[in-house]
Amino acid sequence: MTDVGLYEAMRTLRAVRRLRPDPIPADVLHRVLEAATWAPTGGNVQPWRVIVVREPARKQALQRLYAEQWQRYVAGHRGLPAAADDAARARGERMLRAGNHLAEHFAEVPIHLVFCFNPQLMAITDAALPRVSVVGGASIYPAVQNLLLACRAEGLGCVLTTLLCACEDEVRALLEIPQPWATAADVPIGYPKLRGHGPISRRGVEKMAFADGWGRPFGAGPAA
Ligand SMILES: Cc1cc2nc3c(=O)[nH]c(=O)nc-3n(C[C@H](O)[C@H](O)[C@H](O)COP(=O)(O)O)c2cc1C
């Protein structure tokens, strides 16, 4: 484990899609899974489980499914608006190249962590609203994020993927997932082939945070 601080880990946690096939020691795997269990969930119910996929045949089957979804995603990818600058364009192209690499080497990744959830164990407070429901995800993805940060601390590359959710029936059959459990994410983890985690590009606080009302600029302001 590295002694990376929490803020440094968050600031350098990026999608790492080129992963070596080298095995992950059992104690390391246990620590990152344990970090996931520490995440908060609605009512502390922990309505998620994770399937640790290591068998080559199942990983091969996942690769076939993932590659199909990835091709579909790339075909429908609208690219960046004409106004996008060269740096943004270069980032987009790097992402597509790394995504292709992951899709082509999916089964070589030592471990896929398939996160599942049970909607019947959740109080989904926005389920009746006439818009897409997101509250249920808040009892799953904090666990995934804890796991990603723990991977960062362990020097493991990782990336949150959701493309396999589109072929959930096939994943369900492959991994013996009973109803009403469903799939939320697949996180491939492994030691990085290249530099691994590093600098990220994100919008800053001044764009993301408002002061007291929507659209009101959040400046330095008085101390709260
Ligand atoms: C909800 C969600 C779904 C994602 N699904 C995929 C996916 O299916 N495949 C993939 O390669 N990356 C996926 N990603 C990774 C994002 O593309 C990545 O986090 C984003 O482009 C930022 O990249 P960076 O962290 O390297 O800056 C997903 C991320 C999130 C948060």
Side-chain angles (χ1 to χ4, degrees):
M1 193 166 45
T2 64
D3 58 359
V4 62
L6 181 58
Y7 279 88
E8 176 67 3
M10 291 189 288
R11 206 175 58 75
T12 56
L13 176 63
R14 66 181 177 190
V16 179
R17 299 185 177 88
R18 296 173 205 269
L19 303 167
R20 298 205 314 254
D22 312 37
I24 299 170
D27 59 326
V28 175
L29 178 60
H30 189 271
R31 279 200 295 273
V32 298
L33 291 173
E34 189 172 36
T37 68
W38 293 332
T41 56
N44 204 17
V45 169
Q46 296 183 277
W48 61 268
R49 298 291 184 274
V50 60
I51 304 178
V52 181
V53 184
R54 285 175 286 207
E55 279 178 17
R58 292 197 215 225
K59 288 193 294 178
Q60 279 295 346
L62 284 181
Q63 170 158 340
R64 279 193 291 278
L65 294 170
Y66 186 88
E68 202 179 306
Q69 295 302 325
W70 174 254
Q71 291 312 329
R72 203 166 289 174
Y73 170 78
V74 172
H77 189 64
R78 288 188 300 275
L80 291 164
D85 60 30
D86 288 350
R89 209 170 291 284
R91 275 198 304 276
E93 280 164 18
R94 267 202 307 278
M95 197 275 263
L96 280 183
R97 278 200 300 277
N100 284 338
H101 185 280
L102 176 64
E104 287 162 16
H105 299 270
F106 212 71
E108 293 161 33
V109 174
I111 293 179
H112 283 269
L113 297 172
V114 177
F115 281 82
C116 304
F117 69 99
N118 184 338
Q120 292 181 2
L121 299 178
M122 298 169 162
I124 304 177
T125 54
D126 63 350
L129 297 186
R131 60 152 174 81
V132 68
S133 170
V134 298
V135 169
S139 283
I140 309 161
Y141 295 111
V144 177
Q145 182 71 7
N146 269 12
L147 174 110
L148 297 173
L149 283 168
C151 286
R152 167 70 188 85
E154 298 286 353
L156 283 169
C158 52
V159 54
L160 193 177
T161 77
T162 53
L163 284 174
L164 282 171
C165 295
C167 50
E168 184 168 275
D169 287 349
E170 289 92 332
V171 175
R172 176 188 302 291
L174 178 69
L175 302 181
E176 307 157 40
I177 301 168
Q179 292 282 4
W181 290 85
T183 58
D186 171 24
V187 183
I189 66 173
Y191 293 99
K193 282 183 176 167
L194 305 175
R195 280 165 303 161
H197 296 290
I200 54 173
S201 160
R202 304 284 190 262
R203 292 185 182 94
V205 173
E206 69 292 348
K207 290 222 172 66
M208 302 299 282
F210 299 137
D212 296 310
W214 184 268
R216 294 172 179 271
F218 177 80

